[in-house]
Amino acid sequence: MKIIVFGARGDVGSRVVTEALTRGHSVTAVVRKEAQITSLPALVTVSVVDVSNAVQVAEAMAGHDLAISAVRPPDGQEDLLVDLTRSVLDAAAQVSVRLLLVGGAASLLLPDESGYTVLTAPDFLPDAVVPIARACQAQYELCLAETDADWSYLCPPAMLTPGARSGRYRLGSDVLLRDDDGNAAISMEDFAVALLDEAEAPRHKRTRFTVAY
């Protein structure tokens, strides 16, 4: 499969690139600046793209079987996430390429049946992550309104951190997944596994899903 990854140098994006290469896929890694090229694996094709420019994004996507967006704006510019997502959605629709989006946990319901989401629950999120959580909520709402692109939206659990690749995870849909100890977590490596599993065997067309241990 020919896969293009936007945000290929990020924490999640870099692991998605590694997982895709491990599975034998042909990978195009998108970066913002030419100076970032040297930090990518030798096996990838590199494309320098301004993701805010839907024309550039569509040109880069064309000819691929799948696009994965793991784009995250810099701290303090979280509101850009919606515009960047709009750009990749428009491009995916234009060139008819399936799109997997790395989203956020903000919209997931808490499992206590309170009706609160990760974003709306009182004192659930640290203040430092509220801006990106709000941006991810808006990103998800943008996807829900999108009817032209063939998209899927993967929500991480509350904790998404670097770790080991075990190849195991649980699937969910609208509710935050927790283990028996109350933890809602997965490693970035296993998050990438789940994303590539969806890439290879699509099960969530125009909907969100979530994963955790």
Side-chain angles (χ1 to χ4, degrees):
M1 188 185 302
K2 293 183 65 176
I3 300 174
I4 185 168
V5 180
F6 295 86
R9 284 188 70 253
D11 288 340
V12 173
S14 61
R15 287 162 172 84
V16 169
V17 168
T18 297
E19 182 67 23
L21 290 173
T22 299
R23 297 183 185 212
H25 296 295
S26 174
V27 178
T28 299
V30 175
V31 296
R32 292 182 295 113
K33 301 175 183 178
E34 289 188 10
Q36 299 171 324
I37 292 174
T38 56
S39 62
L40 292 164
L43 292 176
V44 303
T45 299
V46 181
S47 184
V48 180
V49 175
D50 177 1
V51 181
S52 67
N53 186 321
V55 173
Q56 287 189 26
V57 175
E59 290 174 351
M61 272 191 197
H64 290 84
D65 302 303
L66 174 76
I68 296 175
S69 177
V71 172
R72 278 292 179 272
D75 291 344
Q77 301 180 49
E78 289 84 0
D79 289 347
L80 290 176
L81 182 62
V82 171
D83 291 338
L84 297 174
T85 303
R86 177 76 274 163
S87 181
V88 294
L89 284 167
D90 288 348
Q94 180 181 334
V95 298
S96 299
V97 171
R98 186 161 60 100
L99 174 64
L100 299 187
L101 289 149
V102 174
S107 63
L108 294 174
L109 291 164
L110 296 189
D112 60 6
E113 300 183 353
S114 65
Y116 284 118
T117 66
V118 169
L119 178 60
T120 62
D123 303 319
F124 186 84
L125 291 174
D127 290 344
V129 303
V130 169
I132 190 60
R134 287 174 176 161
C136 288
Q137 176 68 39
Q139 178 193 42
Y140 175 59
E141 291 172 2
L142 177 66
C143 290
L144 285 179
E146 173 59 46
T147 57
D148 294 326
D150 182 3
W151 59 269
S152 301
Y153 188 91
L154 178 52
C155 299
M159 296 298 294
L160 180 63
T161 56
R165 183 192 187 281
S166 71
R168 65 178 181 84
Y169 59 87
R170 290 181 296 141
L171 276 172
S173 55
D174 299 324
V175 179
L176 184 72
L177 295 175
R178 284 177 163 158
D179 63 18
D180 293 340
D181 295 322
N183 299 313
I186 196 169
S187 71
M188 292 177 181
E189 287 76 7
D190 282 329
F191 187 82
V193 170
L195 196 65
L196 265 296
D197 284 350
E198 176 69 21
E200 294 174 347
R203 298 171 60 184
H204 301 91
K205 184 180 177 67
R206 292 202 178 109
T207 190
R208 72 173 164 194
F209 63 111
T210 187
V211 293
Y213 290 134

